[in-house]
Amino acid sequence: MFRKFITFFLIMLLTVTAVVAASQVLPNLVKSAMAKPAITTSNPEIAKVTIAHLLSSKSKSKSQPTIRRTTVEGKYAIATWQWGEAGGQSILTQQGKRWKVVGSGGGAVNLETLKQKGVPDKIAEKLMQKE
């Protein structure tokens, strides 16, 4: 009986210790992974248009959105952004010399979403390959 109690106690102690350690380590790992994107392509015009679009959403966030990466194929682009703890991607199209956001949301863009927003199939596939 005493051995069972000691075994149970040790298992519970290890479980609680592991949960506490994970709750302190995992957020820092996620934050550092998001802070250093694998691809750092920059396009100032796309960044400017994307940030203006995000700020026009009237979010109550006190932080400023940042553009982590832009991926361009022809007259279409994907801007990967982070805004505080949230992140997402915006789809843009070039009209003349200007870029315009045609879709934006939290999380990653997929092939189907690109096509729904008017990106031609071949260009959508190339964008996804670059991503």
Side-chain angles (χ1 to χ4, degrees):
M1 180 75 171
F2 184 71
R3 282 186 179 171
K4 288 182 181 178
F5 174 76
I6 293 296
T7 303
F8 173 77
F9 179 76
L10 289 174
I11 290 171
M12 292 305 293
L13 182 62
L14 288 172
T15 302
V16 169
T17 304
V19 168
V20 169
S23 69
Q24 293 175 354
V25 171
L26 288 176
N28 291 332
L29 288 174
V30 169
K31 196 177 234 181
S32 70
M34 290 182 72
K36 299 172 187 170
I39 303 169
T40 54
T41 305
S42 177
N43 183 309
E45 183 62 27
I46 291 173
K48 180 180 165 185
V49 170
T50 304
I51 289 172
H53 176 80
L54 292 170
L55 291 173
S56 72
S57 69
K58 298 181 180 145
S59 171
K60 297 184 189 273
S61 177
K62 294 179 182 176
S63 65
Q64 178 79 7
T66 56
I67 305 304
R68 295 289 181 200
R69 175 177 68 242
T70 57
T71 305
V72 180
E73 183 62 39
K75 295 183 181 247
Y76 297 91
I78 298 173
T80 303
W81 50 267
Q82 186 171 354
W83 196 355
E85 296 295 319
Q89 291 185 313
S90 297
I91 303 167
L92 297 94
T93 184
Q94 191 174 27
Q95 298 176 340
K97 293 184 178 183
R98 296 187 157 201
W99 287 94
K100 179 183 176 186
V101 175
V102 294
S104 189
V109 169
N110 62 33
L111 186 61
E112 190 59 35
T113 302
L114 288 171
K115 291 177 183 180
Q116 288 173 356
K117 294 298 180 181
V119 179
D121 292 354
K122 288 185 180 184
I123 292 176
E125 289 170 11
K126 286 181 181 180
L127 279 168
M128 292 309 299
Q129 287 172 356
K130 289 181 176 183
E131 278 293 304

